[in-house]
Amino acid sequence: MPVSPDTHDLCQSVFPPDVLQLAVSALETYAGPDETWVHQSAIKLGGGELHRLARWLDEAERNPDTFR
Protein backbone atom coordinates (compact mmCIF):
# COMPACT_ATOMS: atom_id res chain seq x y z
CA MET A 1 0.00 0.00 0.00
CA PRO A 2 1.36 3.47 -0.83
CA VAL A 3 2.74 5.57 2.00
CA SER A 4 0.89 8.70 3.13
CA PRO A 5 2.09 12.11 1.94
CA ASP A 6 3.26 12.97 5.47
CA THR A 7 5.20 9.73 5.68
CA HIS A 8 6.81 10.39 2.31
CA ASP A 9 7.83 13.88 3.47
CA LEU A 10 9.35 12.45 6.66
CA CYS A 11 11.16 9.79 4.68
CA GLN A 12 12.51 12.45 2.34
CA SER A 13 13.82 14.44 5.30
CA VAL A 14 15.64 11.45 6.82
CA PHE A 15 16.98 9.42 3.90
CA PRO A 16 19.48 10.63 1.31
CA PRO A 17 18.04 11.22 -2.18
CA ASP A 18 19.87 8.26 -3.70
CA VAL A 19 18.05 5.76 -1.44
CA LEU A 20 14.73 7.54 -0.96
CA GLN A 21 12.81 5.36 -3.42
CA LEU A 22 14.25 2.19 -1.86
CA ALA A 23 13.15 3.39 1.57
CA VAL A 24 9.63 4.15 0.32
CA SER A 25 9.48 0.74 -1.36
CA ALA A 26 10.52 -0.93 1.89
CA LEU A 27 7.79 0.92 3.77
CA GLU A 28 5.21 -0.22 1.24
CA THR A 29 5.95 -3.85 2.11
CA TYR A 30 4.62 -3.46 5.67
CA ALA A 31 1.15 -4.98 5.89
CA GLY A 32 0.20 -4.71 9.53
CA PRO A 33 -1.90 -2.58 11.83
CA ASP A 34 -1.37 1.16 12.35
CA GLU A 35 0.45 1.45 9.05
CA THR A 36 1.21 5.20 9.02
CA TRP A 37 2.28 5.20 12.65
CA VAL A 38 4.53 2.17 12.15
CA HIS A 39 6.02 3.68 8.98
CA GLN A 40 6.86 6.94 10.69
CA SER A 41 8.27 5.23 13.79
CA ALA A 42 10.45 2.94 11.67
CA ILE A 43 11.73 5.91 9.66
CA LYS A 44 12.74 7.77 12.81
CA LEU A 45 14.35 4.74 14.41
CA GLY A 46 16.04 3.78 11.16
CA GLY A 47 18.01 7.01 11.22
CA GLY A 48 18.50 7.19 7.46
CA GLU A 49 19.91 3.65 7.22
CA LEU A 50 18.04 1.23 4.93
CA HIS A 51 19.13 -1.87 6.82
CA ARG A 52 17.88 -0.42 10.10
CA LEU A 53 14.57 0.61 8.50
CA ALA A 54 14.10 -2.93 7.20
CA ARG A 55 14.94 -4.40 10.61
CA TRP A 56 12.32 -2.23 12.34
CA LEU A 57 9.68 -3.07 9.75
CA ASP A 58 10.41 -6.79 10.10
CA GLU A 59 10.14 -6.52 13.86
CA ALA A 60 6.82 -4.65 13.60
CA GLU A 61 5.41 -7.43 11.43
CA ARG A 62 6.54 -10.11 13.89
CA ASN A 63 5.36 -8.19 16.94
CA PRO A 64 2.64 -5.57 16.38
CA ASP A 65 3.38 -4.03 19.81
CA THR A 66 6.97 -3.16 18.86
CA PHE A 67 6.41 0.60 18.84
CA ARG A 68 3.95 0.76 21.73
Side-chain angles (χ1 to χ4, degrees):
M1 176 168 268
V3 300
S4 72
D6 288 340
T7 299
H8 189 276
D9 290 347
L10 177 61
C11 199
Q12 192 169 19
S13 72
V14 173
F15 287 91
D18 60 323
V19 298
L20 176 62
Q21 190 52 49
L22 290 172
V24 170
S25 294
L27 292 169
E28 290 172 343
T29 67
Y30 175 75
D34 302 316
E35 188 173 272
T36 298
W37 187 64
V38 168
H39 285 171
Q40 292 181 8
S41 297
I43 290 167
K44 292 172 186 173
L45 291 167
E49 303 276 339
L50 285 175
H51 69 281
R52 290 177 64 193
L53 174 67
R55 197 173 328 142
W56 283 112
L57 291 171
D58 287 344
E59 180 59 30
E61 288 216 9
R62 280 192 298 276
N63 179 6
D65 292 328
T66 295
F67 298 120
R68 296 192 200 291

